[in-house]
Amino acid sequence: MSHDLRWAEALRPALEGSARVVLRVGDQRVTGYEVWRSGVGWAEALRADGVDEGSLVVADDLSPTTLLSLWLGAGLCGAALAPLHQRWPPPRKRAVIGFLRPQVVVACEPSASSLGESWAGVRAEQSDEAALRRGLGASSRRWAGDGETARRLAAPRPLALCLPTSGSTGPPKYVALSWTALHAAVEGIERHLGVSGGGWWYTPLPLYHIGGLVTCLRAFLGGPAAWIAPFSPAGGALALADEETIGGSLVPTMLVRLLEAGASPGPGLRRVLVGGGPFPRRLRERALGWPLCPTYGMTEACSQIATALPEHEPHPSASGAPLPGVEVRVVDVDDGGVGEIALRAATLFEGYLSLTDALDRSAFRDGWFYTGDLGRWRGAALEVICRRVDRIVTGGENVSPAEVEGVLEAHPDISEASVAGVDDPVWGQRVAALVVLRPGALWSPDAWAEAVRAEIGGHAVPRVWRPCEALPRTPTGKVERNQVREALGNSSAGGPPRG
């Protein structure tokens, strides 16, 4: 086995003999040595199941410590890890496993039983305390997929992760990430944030998403130790107020709930990343005194692309300057300076997994990745407007959903809003809004329409209004745009107002 393909060997110097705490999961504090030892145990178990260079290992419903140890074990075999989304129902998990064609699936009960006939060659590890300490408290089973062979990953750079995108506009794609890209991302994040070293970094983000995993990788490579905990307002407030916590990673919905719970930043808190969805100006204003860092990122770029730092006084709607080593272009710009965001960086993915062993690289052109996101420059800072597919074109006029949402959410009647386009035979699309009222507020679409008309213009005024108790969201807090469009498409109204 060639040494350069076993990407996890690069972590050996940082972890193998280290007594430094790198993870905090509940009351358990885990050292680098313990993570490495567990990874070595998993590597032995995986090799017995035929895992080697180019293999894919699927993980489902594992504890954070077991998942991270399994990831290292896969890497010591030259393989990549593909976590399943923990909220997917069993039929979808089985379908995704069929698409991925892994060499091995590793899961804990009850997920192991629910995966049914996708399993064969059962080999359950001991579940006593010693085995759990080694990270082997789960079942691993060989792939058996109707005569198909297991997938063999082929990429220019050794692959370490295959993650589902957390996009809100369609079915997830699996993004193939190399160790080279992940390592470059960690280096860029640490240089940009300037908070490497001791202390806790609170991460309630799930480990089947890139934000949570990169936080753990930062910890492995000498950054702040990852404090992993499911989100709750009380738990988050406690963690972020801890005197040893220096940073945290949140989505906007989490920040809202923390503020509603009366949370306040601790004395050592220096950076709170807020990403994964639109970050309304009103929310930023409510959180004055917090060291907030609005960030724009994606799985395809190993997390962060551009991040604002509080000391730089960024534009109120921008995500900050690109991270070191990340080149950003805004192309096909319209009269308002808005165009598609394109990236070139060592942090970029190798491609999307396809039905064959080859990777889909159709989103790359001349070495640049075309994100499908629309944005513009605000000086040296990047402002992200919306997904290209979300932009509304009504009567030939372009409307940004995020811009309209910002005006609506600044109105005292409205708690949150989501805006989308619905088909119209005359105007092409109508602007439509799904609205959550604040307690005690009255339904007043005329007043809200006037606010949008005054701030943006008549072309952006929603013609369709629909109330709801809460916006549909993904587990990481992103608004489910497809569900919003479906809800709004069932509404009836006339053509959009003009002027």
Side-chain angles (χ1 to χ4, degrees), residues 181-333:
L182 288 162
H183 190 261
V186 168
E187 288 186 330
I189 291 169
E190 298 298 351
R191 286 175 57 194
H192 191 69
L193 297 182
V195 291
S196 59
W200 301 115
W201 192 281
Y202 171 61
T203 178
L205 306 179
L207 296 189
Y208 47 83
H209 285 301
I210 188 63
L213 282 168
V214 165
T215 299
C216 296
L217 189 57
R218 288 172 57 201
F220 292 170
L221 289 169
W227 185 341
I228 304 170
F231 178 76
S232 70
L238 183 66
L240 292 169
D242 190 290
E243 63 181 10
E244 294 186 59
T245 300
I246 64 172
S249 299
L250 305 172
V251 298
T253 306
M254 294 175 181
L255 180 59
V256 169
R257 295 181 64 191
L258 285 168
L259 295 175
E260 290 173 346
S264 58
L269 196 63
R270 296 175 57 194
R271 302 279 190 257
V272 177
L273 298 170
V274 183
F279 190 4
R281 182 182 302 185
R282 186 175 69 177
L283 177 55
R284 300 187 194 203
E285 294 170 350
R286 285 178 61 194
L288 287 176
W290 285 76
L292 299 181
C293 302
T295 184
Y296 165 58
M298 59 180 57
T299 307
E300 289 88 340
C302 292
S303 190
Q304 296 177 52
I305 295 166
T307 299
L309 301 179
E311 59 266 29
H312 291 170
E313 297 183 3
H315 185 278
S317 61
S319 294
L323 268 65
V326 178
E327 296 180 70
V328 178
R329 296 193 310 193
V330 179
V331 300
D332 301 328
V333 175

Side-chain angles (χ1 to χ4, degrees), residues 425-449:
V426 176
W427 301 100
Q429 288 181 302
R430 292 172 289 171
V431 182
L434 198 60
V435 174
V436 180
L437 290 180
R438 290 189 172 277
L442 299 177
W443 186 252
S444 308
D446 290 344
W448 309 331

Side-chain angles (χ1 to χ4, degrees), residues 440-489:
L442 299 177
W443 186 252
S444 308
D446 290 344
W448 309 331
E450 187 55 39
V452 174
R453 182 179 288 106
E455 185 80 17
I456 305 174
H459 66 287
V461 172
R463 182 59 174 157
V464 176
W465 300 91
R466 191 177 183 90
C468 68
E469 294 185 358
L471 297 181
R473 294 184 181 274
T474 68
T476 54
K478 291 185 179 180
V479 174
E480 288 274 17
R481 295 284 180 182
N482 284 341
Q483 293 185 31
V484 169
R485 279 191 284 267
E486 183 178 347
L488 292 169

Side-chain angles (χ1 to χ4, degrees), residues 72-99:
L72 284 180
L76 289 171
C77 298
L81 185 72
L84 298 183
H85 197 302
Q86 290 188 14
R87 295 195 181 185
W88 286 343
R92 185 170 191 180
K93 288 182 178 180
R94 289 195 291 268
V96 169
I97 291 173
F99 165 73

